Amino acid sequence: GTVLVTNSSNGSIWKYVSDNNWASVPGSASVVAVVGNNNYFAVSSGNLWHYNGSSWTQVGSNLAYVRAASDGTVLVTNSSGQIWQYVSPYNFVQVPGTMLIAAPVKANSYFGMGTDYNVYSYGSH
């Protein structure tokens, strides 16, 4: 699998490439999510960005968190806890529930941290 991290002090994005070896990914973000190698999503200053292996494209706005599953399911949440599934640039479908963070396992199945800070699951896993 592909591992990305962000530096909390400056937002830089790093990709794990081998033992003790990290490569810088262009751009900056507060939160990143990996669908697959060179297929990433990131939230930076409330905007959602998609990386296609060579460049970033803004695909959404007014968001707080993003998480992705290996089947391509991408969920985002806003500051009110509303959950949205990314369908295409600036096209989202609202998902049932209210979570601070929603992490998809696969389509129609996710775990999340509720606005009460408890962990919940939705769908069959």
Side-chain angles (χ1 to χ4, degrees):
T2 301
V3 176
L4 293 182
V5 297
T6 60
N7 181 318
S8 63
S9 64
N10 64 16
S12 59
I13 305 169
W14 296 88
K15 180 179 180 179
Y16 180 77
V17 292
S18 64
D19 288 343
N20 298 314
N21 190 10
W22 294 84
S24 177
V25 174
S28 65
S30 56
V31 180
V32 293
V34 177
V35 174
N37 190 30
N38 293 320
N39 185 4
Y40 322 137
F41 287 83
V43 173
S44 179
S45 300
N47 295 313
L48 181 65
W49 297 83
H50 178 243
Y51 185 74
N52 63 7
S54 61
S55 65
W56 291 96
T57 302
Q58 185 180 349
V59 295
S61 59
N62 299 317
L63 300 167
Y65 287 97
V66 60
R67 294 292 184 254
S70 60
D71 73 351
T73 302
V74 176
L75 296 179
V76 296
T77 54
N78 62 19
S79 60
S80 300
Q82 294 173 313
I83 308 165
W84 301 89
Q85 182 174 338
Y86 174 81
V87 180
S88 63
Y90 283 96
N91 188 9
F92 298 84
V93 174
Q94 192 164 9
V95 173
T98 305
M99 299 285 166
L100 296 174
I101 302 170
V105 176
K106 58 186 176 185
N108 302 311
S109 174
Y110 68 85
F111 287 93
M113 182 174 63
T115 55
D116 60 0
Y117 298 99
N118 288 311
V119 175
Y120 295 91
S121 67
Y122 176 85
S124 61
H125 309 290

Short mmCIF file of all heavy atoms in Angstrom, two decimals, residues 71 73 75 85 95-96 104-110 121-125:
data_model
loop_
_atom_site.label_atom_id
_atom_site.label_comp_id
_atom_site.label_asym_id
_atom_site.label_seq_id
_atom_site.Cartn_x
_atom_site.Cartn_y
_atom_site.Cartn_z
N ASP A 71 -11.25 0.73 -2.83
CA ASP A 71 -12.18 0.54 -3.95
C ASP A 71 -12.52 1.86 -4.65
O ASP A 71 -13.30 1.89 -5.58
CB ASP A 71 -13.46 -0.17 -3.50
CG ASP A 71 -14.39 0.70 -2.66
OD1 ASP A 71 -14.00 1.82 -2.26
OD2 ASP A 71 -15.53 0.26 -2.39
N THR A 73 -13.82 4.59 -3.05
CA THR A 73 -14.79 5.38 -2.29
C THR A 73 -14.05 6.46 -1.51
O THR A 73 -13.11 6.17 -0.77
CB THR A 73 -15.58 4.48 -1.31
OG1 THR A 73 -16.24 3.47 -2.05
CG2 THR A 73 -16.59 5.29 -0.53
N LEU A 75 -14.82 9.68 1.12
CA LEU A 75 -15.76 10.41 1.95
C LEU A 75 -15.10 11.65 2.52
O LEU A 75 -13.93 11.63 2.89
CB LEU A 75 -16.25 9.54 3.12
CG LEU A 75 -17.05 8.29 2.78
CD1 LEU A 75 -17.43 7.55 4.07
CD2 LEU A 75 -18.30 8.63 1.98
N GLN A 85 -20.07 11.78 -0.07
CA GLN A 85 -19.24 10.90 -0.90
C GLN A 85 -18.88 11.65 -2.17
O GLN A 85 -19.74 12.20 -2.85
CB GLN A 85 -19.98 9.61 -1.25
CG GLN A 85 -19.11 8.68 -2.08
CD GLN A 85 -19.76 7.33 -2.31
OE1 GLN A 85 -20.65 6.91 -1.57
NE2 GLN A 85 -19.30 6.64 -3.34
N VAL A 95 -24.23 11.40 2.59
CA VAL A 95 -24.25 10.08 3.20
C VAL A 95 -24.96 10.20 4.55
O VAL A 95 -24.79 11.20 5.24
CB VAL A 95 -22.79 9.56 3.39
CG1 VAL A 95 -22.74 8.27 4.17
CG2 VAL A 95 -22.11 9.42 2.04
N PRO A 96 -25.75 9.19 4.96
CA PRO A 96 -26.44 9.26 6.24
C PRO A 96 -25.48 9.41 7.42
O PRO A 96 -24.39 8.85 7.41
CB PRO A 96 -27.18 7.93 6.34
CG PRO A 96 -27.25 7.41 4.95
CD PRO A 96 -26.05 7.95 4.24
N PRO A 104 -14.18 5.40 4.91
CA PRO A 104 -14.85 4.31 4.20
C PRO A 104 -14.03 3.02 4.24
O PRO A 104 -12.81 3.05 4.15
CB PRO A 104 -14.96 4.84 2.77
CG PRO A 104 -13.83 5.79 2.63
CD PRO A 104 -13.65 6.40 3.99
N VAL A 105 -14.75 1.92 4.36
CA VAL A 105 -14.16 0.59 4.23
C VAL A 105 -14.32 0.16 2.78
O VAL A 105 -13.41 -0.40 2.17
CB VAL A 105 -14.85 -0.42 5.17
CG1 VAL A 105 -14.32 -1.83 4.97
CG2 VAL A 105 -14.72 0.04 6.61
N LYS A 106 -15.50 0.46 2.25
CA LYS A 106 -15.87 0.20 0.86
C LYS A 106 -17.15 0.99 0.63
O LYS A 106 -17.65 1.66 1.54
CB LYS A 106 -16.11 -1.30 0.63
CG LYS A 106 -17.19 -1.89 1.53
CD LYS A 106 -17.31 -3.38 1.40
CE LYS A 106 -18.35 -3.89 2.41
NZ LYS A 106 -18.44 -5.32 2.43
N ALA A 107 -17.69 0.94 -0.56
CA ALA A 107 -18.93 1.66 -0.85
C ALA A 107 -20.02 1.26 0.15
O ALA A 107 -20.16 0.08 0.48
CB ALA A 107 -19.40 1.36 -2.27
N ASN A 108 -20.74 2.24 0.67
CA ASN A 108 -21.85 2.03 1.62
C ASN A 108 -21.44 1.41 2.95
O ASN A 108 -22.26 0.78 3.62
CB ASN A 108 -22.97 1.21 0.98
CG ASN A 108 -23.48 1.87 -0.27
OD1 ASN A 108 -23.79 3.07 -0.27
ND2 ASN A 108 -23.56 1.12 -1.35
N SER A 109 -20.19 1.56 3.33
CA SER A 109 -19.70 1.02 4.59
C SER A 109 -18.58 1.91 5.11
O SER A 109 -17.60 2.14 4.40
CB SER A 109 -19.19 -0.40 4.36
OG SER A 109 -18.58 -0.91 5.51
N TYR A 110 -18.74 2.43 6.34
CA TYR A 110 -17.68 3.27 6.89
C TYR A 110 -17.66 3.22 8.40
O TYR A 110 -18.61 2.80 9.05
CB TYR A 110 -17.83 4.72 6.41
CG TYR A 110 -19.03 5.47 6.94
CD1 TYR A 110 -18.99 6.11 8.17
CD2 TYR A 110 -20.20 5.57 6.21
CE1 TYR A 110 -20.09 6.81 8.65
CE2 TYR A 110 -21.30 6.27 6.67
CZ TYR A 110 -21.23 6.89 7.91
OH TYR A 110 -22.32 7.58 8.39
N SER A 121 -20.03 2.68 13.38
CA SER A 121 -19.90 2.04 12.08
C SER A 121 -21.22 2.14 11.36
O SER A 121 -22.28 2.23 11.98
CB SER A 121 -19.47 0.59 12.20
OG SER A 121 -20.48 -0.18 12.79
N TYR A 122 -21.14 2.14 10.04
CA TYR A 122 -22.33 2.22 9.19
C TYR A 122 -22.18 1.19 8.09
O TYR A 122 -21.10 1.05 7.49
CB TYR A 122 -22.46 3.61 8.59
CG TYR A 122 -23.62 3.75 7.62
CD1 TYR A 122 -24.89 4.03 8.08
CD2 TYR A 122 -23.43 3.56 6.26
CE1 TYR A 122 -25.97 4.14 7.20
CE2 TYR A 122 -24.48 3.66 5.37
CZ TYR A 122 -25.75 3.94 5.86
OH TYR A 122 -26.80 4.03 4.99
N GLY A 123 -23.25 0.45 7.80
CA GLY A 123 -23.21 -0.55 6.73
C GLY A 123 -22.62 -1.86 7.20
O GLY A 123 -22.27 -2.02 8.36
N SER A 124 -22.52 -2.82 6.29
CA SER A 124 -21.94 -4.12 6.62
C SER A 124 -20.46 -4.13 6.24
O SER A 124 -20.08 -3.62 5.21
CB SER A 124 -22.69 -5.24 5.91
OG SER A 124 -22.61 -5.07 4.53
N HIS A 125 -19.67 -4.71 7.10
CA HIS A 125 -18.23 -4.73 6.89
C HIS A 125 -17.83 -6.13 6.56
O HIS A 125 -16.91 -6.65 6.51
CB HIS A 125 -17.48 -4.19 8.10
CG HIS A 125 -18.00 -2.86 8.55
ND1 HIS A 125 -17.81 -1.70 7.83
CD2 HIS A 125 -18.76 -2.51 9.59
CE1 HIS A 125 -18.38 -0.69 8.46
NE2 HIS A 125 -18.98 -1.16 9.53
#
